[in-house]
Amino acid sequence: MRPPDFEYELAEDVQGAVSALAQGESVMAIAGGQSLIPLLRLRIARPSRVVDIGRVPGLTGISVSDESTELGALVTTADVAASDDISRSNPLWTEAARVIADPLVRNLGTVGGNLAHADPLNDLPAALVASRGEVLAEGPNGVRTIASDDLFVSPFTTSLEPGELITRLIVPGSPSGAYEKLKRAAADYGVVAVAVQLDIGDGGDIRSAGVSLSGTSAVAPRSNRAEQTLVGTNGGDDVIEGAALAAAEDADLAADERGSIRYKRAVVGALAARALRRAIARGNG
Amino acid sequence: MGAVGERLRRKNDPRLLVGHGRYVDDITVPHVVHASFVRSPLAHAEILGIDTEDARRARGVVAVFAGDEVANAMPLLPTAAADESPPRRPLTGDRVRYVGEAVAMVLAETAAQAEHAAALVAVDYEPLPVVLGPWKALAGDAPLVHPERGTNKIGEIHKVIGDPDGAFAAADHVVKRRHAVQRISASPLEPRGTLAVPEPATGELTVWMACQSPHTIRTWLSDILSIDESKLRVIAPDVGGGFGSKLNLYSDELAVMWGALQLGRPVKWTETRTENFTAAVHARDQIHHVEMALRADGKILGLRSHFVGDLGAYFHFFTPVVPDLTIDTLTGNYDIPSVDIKLEKVFTNTMSIEALRGSGRAEATFVLERMIEESAREIGMDPLEMRLLNLVSPEQLPYETPFELTYDSGDYPAMLSRAAELIGYEAIKGSQRNLREKGIYRGVGVATYNLLCGFSPSGHDWNPMKFFPGHETALIRVDPHGKTVVYSGLSPHGQGSDTVVAQLVADELQIPFDDIAVKHGDTETIPYGGGTHGSRGAVVGGHAALIAAQRVVAKAKDVAGAMLEASSEDVVYEGGSFRVAGSREPALAWQEVAEEAHFLKHSGPMFEPGLEATAFYDPPSVNFAFGATAAHVEVDVETGVVSIIEFVSVDDCGVALNPGIVDGQLHGGIAQGVGQALYEQVSHDEDGQVVSASFGSYLLPSAVEMPKLTMERFVTPSATPLGVRGVGESGTLATPAAIVNAVVDALEPFGVRVEQTPLRPNVLWELIHPEPTE
Ligand SMILES: Cc1cc2nc3c(=O)[nH]c(=O)nc-3n(C[C@H](O)[C@H](O)[C@H](O)COP(=O)(O)OP(=O)(O)OC[C@H]3O[C@@H](n4cnc5c(N)ncnc54)[C@H](O)[C@@H]3O)c2cc1C
């Protein structure tokens, strides 16, 4: 279907976008449009005005160090997937970006939009939570930092205030990361996915752990029990099995055309074990 | 030398690849209004009232058509088996019988305005109980789709051939299984579209339509709109795939034409993807209960199937004969002497079932090849060996099947053995045990097919339509420069038949391939043709072109004879030049003859001017193509994901006029088979909503899901002049069974029983890990 009529505004800078968005709930930002346009066409979203932030200067750019990966909100998921620097210092993000939809969607979809949309089936929210990243948000009252655990409130709802935009992502880097996703077909959303990021000491000891999921009822829930199972160990087979089981048991799942709860729980367990094995191997490699 | 047999590039591809195609939606005419349809959101309901006030007042709206009175003023749609079919009009005014049925049509100055206004039409529905599922539809207390018929059952066919009761009594083993072949959607790249342009001053109507058979549409339109065919022109411009779904005249298309005539203005409609999932025909949807009678050594003695075909709510062009084709092809390539097949067809509150690439035959092949696999496993025999034991052997050819089809030639066992060899059947079997110990589950499966195609002669048994030719036609017209246009009655929409026709005409006329243009899809310029469907392009359309070309050459010899002052019987045409047999006189070039044929400068009035000929060709019988496939798969038993490691297809389409096009047709068919096995499914919820009405839910295999393909060809020329066999549908037939058989093989330790497809990961996982029963 065609969307109902709406006004279109091309924002020139962050301030302009913020003040346009602060005018009310019926004004919406559009970045890559890969989630918003389908909603407009299905007439689920009915904004009176759409503010295009796609050409706002200063929201692009990838900068990578061993400690962290910084991404402008308009960096596309294709850019993340293709970056050698990210793949070296933050393989979790490379793997997560590479399994998002198909190249057409990845070429247009942005990292900021992927998080702000807060779709429980999106992949980057779980990556953000597992890596304990944070976002910079700019709004009518200035700039603030939102930690990953505070960003996602419920499906399709974030803690962003009206008028607030995500401008930047700051993600701690670690070579010990991995993303495992089960898709029914290449261009499909996932059934479930597991994001893992570990900090492994020289002796092979896991100093901290991040485990989060996509495809559950909540947006990117943190698997606390799985993380606790891992921390302080050397990540042997028993630990991996135990952590994977905890992640599976604690996942809040719903049955739908992608599978039963029983099925999804089993897949969370299988994928968690695979992601952990790969992350640990990378950390020790 | 010669174009036939060469891997020539398709003539149309450069144009289409750079985006210069002209599909219906690309065609603009002045003063056009745009149509949008209000469709039923319910599978079964009575319409209590329709309020169109707000829609009529909306911006840009020109007209709104809705309601019983309007609907009844509209013509009836053509359908198969007209006396059995419930009547159907372009709009329904009193009752809806499937989700997506058109209730109102809004015409407005722009497509967006039409769509906005359509959303303002308020329809008051009284929901009625919904009938879904064929066996439920047959139950005595089932709600009725067409109450005036008194039953949902459309008919029953029971064919008992040979001595099935004796075979089952004498059998050492009887294997029983259920096999369901799920409903699928054609999913063409281009959804449907219609542009109807009336000329009120003369009563003429021109229709651009994404269709596969423009002449058939013209004849039907003449009948139902009462317009002389001389005043009707139907044009199929570039068409982005049809697979059978564009063979019909649909309710919305006819509504657009009718609306154009009412308004005296052009009306255009382009289907949305969402509409295509509900308002374009579906396919397959059969459930079989099968029994196979076997001798201890694995010889198949008899086959029983009691099956039901869910045909949806109405008949389209071929709806009721699709499952009939399943009966008649249910023994495939195997020598099964005794059969007992009972088919019940039913109406349900769903979109109609129709022809779709491989229709009827794909279902048969799947059921048979799954059944043989299951039988072999149950009696502890190697499935490949059981097939080789039961395949019709070359010595048995020509072989008459229980259904009186005569297979002419070929070597089915050799093809199957070759497919098994190419996939590495023995090696895969040999390594299974070791791999399983490492948690790796791999399997190999095979399946064979025999494609009944090129449906002919025109009056054949599977043709339920009053107007639907089995013949094909070609007009070949040579211009004074010797360049040539073939006007073909085929209506290719992705198959490349235009290229193939040019190749064989080039060789017959002994002129370069590039000197030939092929035109099609316009009733004003093309002689009466049948269009493109049923793998008929080469076997029917190719022969029409061949005969026309032979007539042109004969005519050219008359002209050359006049120029050479010899009788045309003494003229030989060789290497592109005409000379008198045995003479050393300078020869005449093709171009000189073509020029003389038009201007008669050098020869008196010894021949009728011009250089062209038309041929209509109605083949004496159907055609068969056959082959064998093999799949090597790995199943991730933790997630249920199936990966196809390699797929082998060994095919015999007789003489391959263009091997590249043959490969392409097979690739596409295999892709559809992969979809049937693992991905595609039209699914309804218990209210009859089509929950798969987007590509987010209706999974289509893409390039990523396509396996590594190994293709090999056997060439057994058919008894036709060109030696060709069909190929367009071949890939769809055996592919699904080969894949499922391989999955079953991989999962042997789990003893899974597969009764339905697609084997999506969750479905397969549930089979591998059944819920523990207390
Ligand atoms: C067929 C298909 C399959 C897909 N599959 C996947 C998948 O497997 N995994 C996955 O992760 N994603 C998937 N997506 C979604 C895709 O990744 C989107 O690109 C992403 O969800 C949104 O990014 P966007 O830039 O396109 O945002 P838009 O669609 O432009 O916006 C989405 C929402 O975010 C808001 N927004 C955008 N940018 C900002 C910002 N900087 N600050 C605040 N709010 C903002 C918008 O107002 C809007 O509400 C799929 C999309 C499609 C069409």
Side-chain angles (χ1 to χ4, degrees):
Chain A
M1 257 196 285
R2 291 167 180 80
D5 290 349
F6 56 80
E7 286 170 26
Y8 172 86
E9 180 180 331
L10 183 62
E12 284 176 9
D13 50 29
V14 175
Q15 283 73 34
V18 164
S19 51
L21 288 166
Q23 281 164 19
E25 294 236 328
S26 70
V27 186
M28 291 185 81
I30 190 164
Q34 296 306 290
S35 289
L36 187 55
I37 289 175
L39 292 182
L40 292 172
R41 295 186 65 114
L42 292 168
R43 302 188 169 195
I44 292 170
R46 289 171 167 268
S48 60
R49 176 184 289 205
V50 169
V51 179
D52 189 345
I53 61 167
R55 284 179 235 170
V56 169
L59 297 187
T60 54
I62 299 178
S63 92
V64 181
S65 69
D66 282 352
E67 288 71 44
S68 78
T69 302
E70 288 199 31
L71 305 170
L74 292 179
V75 167
T76 66
T77 42
D79 289 338
V80 175
S83 161
D84 289 337
D85 289 340
I86 296 178
S87 125
R88 254 189 308 276
S89 66
N90 208 338
L92 161 63
W93 277 71
T94 304
E95 289 188 1
R98 282 190 182 158
V99 294
I100 292 172
D102 54 33
L104 288 75
V105 172
R106 290 198 292 273
N107 282 339
L108 288 168
T110 66
V111 294
N114 196 300
L115 298 176
H117 193 53
D119 186 335
L121 286 174
N122 271 8
D123 293 295
L124 297 186
L128 189 79
V129 169
S131 50
R132 292 195 160 75
E134 53 193 29
V135 299
L136 295 189
E138 188 165 343
N141 303 322
V143 182
R144 64 177 176 132
T145 302
I146 307 175
S148 62
D149 282 329
D150 302 328
L151 182 61
F152 307 108
V153 175
S154 61
F156 306 103
T157 309
T158 62
S159 57
L160 290 170
E161 299 288 338
E164 263 187 336
L165 277 181
I166 296 177
T167 55
R168 215 160 176 72
L169 283 60
I170 302 163
V171 181
S174 165
S176 317
Y179 196 74
E180 275 284 341
K181 177 178 181 181
L182 181 84
K183 296 203 230 188
R184 301 179 301 168
D188 190 25
Y189 280 93
V191 176
V192 290
V194 181
V196 168
Q197 182 135 309
L198 308 173
D199 176 14
I200 299 183
D202 292 338
D205 53 313
I206 299 175
R207 294 192 293 218
S208 73
V211 179
S212 180
L213 309 178
S214 162
T216 66
S217 302
V219 190
R222 182 179 295 289
S223 297
N224 286 312
R225 228 161 34 96
E227 293 178 355
Q228 286 154 14
T229 310
L230 292 158
V231 174
T233 73
N234 274 329
D237 280 349
D238 288 357
V239 172
I240 290 174
E241 294 301 324
L245 188 66
E249 281 174 356
D250 293 354
D252 183 5
L253 299 161
D256 58 22
E257 62 164 318
R258 290 180 159 72
S260 63
I261 292 176
R262 201 169 71 91
Y263 170 63
K264 290 183 179 181
R265 204 177 295 293
V267 175
V268 169
L271 299 188
R274 291 175 195 185
L276 284 169
R277 264 190 215 107
R278 197 160 62 246
I280 290 167
R282 281 188 175 135
N284 294 327
Chain B
M1 138 89 240
V4 165
E6 291 299 312
R7 220 167 246 276
L8 297 181
R9 296 269 170 91
R10 304 200 302 182
K11 280 183 177 282
N12 262 318
D13 286 355
R15 195 171 58 80
L16 297 176
L17 287 172
V18 297
H20 291 178
R22 262 163 61 95
Y23 300 87
V24 173
D25 193 52
D26 297 317
I27 293 161
T28 48
V29 293
H31 311 303
V32 69
V33 294
H34 297 263
S36 179
F37 289 91
V38 178
R39 297 186 180 277
S40 169
L42 300 175
H44 201 189
E46 205 178 317
I47 297 173
L48 300 181
I50 305 178
D51 183 353
T52 59
E53 267 321 295
D54 289 352
R56 280 179 211 280
R57 269 193 251 111
R59 187 152 45 106
V61 169
V62 174
V64 180
F65 296 104
D68 230 1
E69 214 171 295
V70 174
N72 285 327
M74 292 178 154
L76 281 173
L77 281 146
T79 65
D83 4 320
E84 274 179 71
S85 168
R88 190 163 61 100
R89 295 181 196 276
L91 297 176
T92 177
D94 54 349
R95 201 181 242 249
V96 291
R97 295 183 173 85
Y98 64 94
V99 169
E101 188 164 8
V103 173
M105 176 171 69
V106 177
L107 302 180
E109 299 292 346
T110 72
Q113 288 169 341
E115 207 173 281
H116 286 218
L120 300 175
V121 173
V123 186
D124 188 5
Y125 294 103
E126 175 71 32
L128 295 169
V130 174
V131 202
L132 297 169
W135 293 114
K136 280 191 206 147
L138 287 172
D141 57 350
L144 297 177
V145 179
H146 300 284
E148 69 284 2
R149 300 182 79 261
T151 170
N152 291 321
K153 186 157 156 175
I154 297 163
E156 183 174 310
I157 299 180
H158 195 172
K159 288 196 181 177
V160 180
I161 299 158
D163 176 19
D165 289 344
F168 276 85
D172 298 306
H173 306 277
V174 173
V175 178
K176 299 184 188 184
R177 288 290 188 277
R178 173 186 183 275
H179 298 286
V181 184
Q182 84 274 22
R183 189 178 272 239
I184 57 171
S185 148
S187 310
L189 218 49
E190 180 210 18
R192 295 176 300 132
T194 304
L195 168 61
V197 182
E199 179 42 73
T202 59
E204 289 170 310
L205 177 68
T206 302
V207 176
W208 277 266
M209 192 175 157
C211 73
Q212 300 178 223
S213 177
H215 277 99
T216 310
I217 300 292
R218 188 186 74 185
T219 303
W220 278 113
L221 287 180
S222 172
D223 218 42
I224 60 186
L225 295 173
S226 303
I227 302 176
D228 293 349
E229 288 195 60
S230 60
K231 293 186 172 179
L232 276 168
R233 179 177 182 189
V234 178
I235 305 169
D238 286 324
V239 176
F243 309 103
S245 73
K246 291 176 182 165
L247 262 180
N248 283 283
L249 178 60
Y250 284 86
S251 54
D252 32 34
E253 294 164 343
L254 183 56
V256 165
M257 298 169 203
W258 183 86
L261 292 171
Q262 298 300 304
L263 257 59
R265 276 182 77 174
V267 178
K268 182 175 184 175
W269 169 67
T270 303
E271 188 181 40
T272 66
R273 180 59 65 185
T274 314
E275 282 181 297
N276 187 266
F277 276 114
T278 57
V281 289
H282 296 159
R284 314 286 193 254
D285 211 344
Q286 297 179 0
I287 301 174
H288 290 245
H289 291 273
V290 196
E291 294 179 32
M292 200 163 244
L294 301 138
R295 212 163 58 194
D297 64 354
K299 170 78 189 122
I300 303 168
L301 302 175
L303 178 71
R304 280 192 186 129
S305 176
H306 180 183
F307 77 106
V308 51
D310 179 346
L311 300 190
Y314 294 104
F315 285 2
H316 280 68
F317 277 17
F318 298 98
T319 307
V321 293
V322 171
D324 298 359
L325 265 173
T326 303
I327 301 182
D328 292 344
T329 54
L330 203 48
T331 53
N333 286 331
Y334 298 92
D335 182 19
I336 303 175
S338 296
V339 294
D340 175 346
I341 319 282
K342 185 169 146 191
L343 160 65
E344 292 174 87
K345 304 184 229 187
V346 296
F347 285 119
T348 61
N349 289 120
T350 60
M351 187 24 149
S352 308
I353 286 304
E354 254 292 326
L356 192 161
R357 200 177 195 175
S359 55
R361 296 143 296 164
E363 296 90 313
T365 309
F366 183 77
V367 169
L368 175 65
E369 287 290 353
R370 284 288 300 120
M371 201 58 208
I372 294 179
E373 187 77 14
E374 292 292 313
S375 299
R377 289 180 181 282
E378 188 159 314
I379 71 171
M381 188 171 178
D382 178 75
L384 176 61
E385 206 180 305
M386 182 185 272
R387 286 185 172 84
L388 291 170
L389 177 73
N390 286 286
L391 280 171
V392 171
S393 70
E395 297 76 48
Q396 287 172 283
L397 295 169
Y399 171 88
E400 183 166 305
T401 74
F403 307 101
E404 293 169 16
L405 300 171
T406 305
Y407 294 166
D408 52 333
S409 51
D411 191 339
Y412 315 145
M415 295 181 85
L416 177 59
S417 299
R418 182 66 184 141
E421 192 181 340
L422 286 170
I423 200 84
Y425 190 89
E426 296 303 330
I428 296 168
K429 290 276 187 194
S431 62
Q432 270 175 325
R433 184 186 298 258
N434 276 337
L435 288 170
R436 280 173 192 160
E437 275 164 18
K438 293 183 213 149
I440 297 170
Y441 291 84
R442 292 197 178 160
V444 61
V446 297
T448 73
Y449 69 87
N450 198 318
L451 175 74
L452 161 65
C453 64
F455 294 96
S456 52
S458 287
H460 65 82
D461 288 353
W462 303 284
N463 184 351
M465 293 296 284
K466 183 175 167 201
F467 305 134
F468 199 83
H471 75 255
E472 200 40 271
T473 179
L475 157 60
I476 299 181
R477 187 172 281 160
V478 184
D479 69 31
H481 289 97
K483 307 286 156 104
T484 299
V485 181
V486 184
Y487 298 88
S488 170
L490 294 170
S491 198
H493 41 282
Q495 292 82 357
S497 314
D498 41 350
T499 303
V500 172
V501 162
Q503 284 176 269
L504 62 93
V505 170
D507 282 8
E508 207 57 33
L509 302 185
Q510 303 177 34
I511 63 174
F513 170 75
D514 288 334
D515 286 357
I516 297 174
V518 178
K519 313 264 175 189
H520 55 81
D522 183 347
T523 59
E524 188 147 297
T525 53
I526 312 288
Y528 205 98
T532 292
H533 45 87
S535 306
R536 70 198 297 275
V539 296
V540 192
H543 284 111
L546 177 77
I547 295 164
Q550 289 165 344
R551 288 179 184 164
V552 168
V553 170
K555 174 68 190 292
K557 283 186 181 172
D558 290 347
V559 178
M563 294 170 80
L564 297 167
E565 294 174 1
S567 102
S568 47
E569 289 92 78
D570 294 336
V571 175
V572 286
Y573 182 43
E574 240 173 42
S577 55
F578 297 87
R579 64 175 73 237
V580 178
S583 123
R584 302 175 145 265
E585 291 287 304
L588 294 171
W590 172 258
Q591 191 269 321
E592 290 173 86
V593 170
E595 189 177 310
E596 180 65 11
H598 290 85
F599 305 118
L600 298 94
K601 292 278 193 194
H602 308 292
S603 48
M606 298 166 73
F607 55 85
E608 188 184 336
L611 188 52
E612 64 177 64
T614 302
F616 288 85
Y617 176 67
D618 206 15
S621 70
V622 292
N623 183 286
F624 298 98
F626 33 82
T629 59
H632 181 196
V633 306
E634 180 169 324
V635 182
D636 179 342
V637 299
E638 287 187 326
T639 61
V641 172
V642 175
S643 316
I644 306 173
I645 299 166
E646 186 180 3
F647 191 85
V648 168
S649 191
V650 178
D651 303 276
D652 194 335
C653 65
V655 175
L657 302 175
N658 181 325
I661 286 179
V662 166
D663 284 349
Q665 288 296 300
L666 288 165
H667 292 169
I670 291 167
Q672 264 178 273
V674 168
Q676 182 100 39
L678 301 177
Y679 301 101
E680 299 180 41
Q681 176 160 36
V682 173
S683 36
H684 298 92
D685 69 11
E686 64 269 25
D687 299 324
Q689 294 296 330
V690 181
V691 291
S692 57
S694 86
F695 284 128
S697 176
Y698 190 89
L699 304 178
L700 265 192
S702 68
V704 181
E705 283 76 27
M706 277 302 279
K708 176 187 167 209
L709 294 178
T710 303
M711 321 274 299
E712 199 169 284
R713 210 132 43 230
F714 276 46
V715 180
T716 312
S718 68
T720 66
L722 288 167
V724 291
R725 302 177 183 278
V727 72
E729 299 165 286
S730 293
T732 61
L733 298 194
T735 305
I739 294 169
V740 175
N741 289 342
V743 169
V744 168
D745 185 49
L747 297 177
E748 195 181 359
F750 298 91
V752 302
R753 181 164 291 192
V754 174
E755 294 188 335
Q756 63 192 57
T757 43
L759 293 178
R760 290 183 176 171
N762 61 316
V763 172
L764 195 53
W765 185 90
E766 301 281 354
L767 294 176
I768 301 169
H769 308 275
E771 193 123 33
T773 42
E774 300 304 301

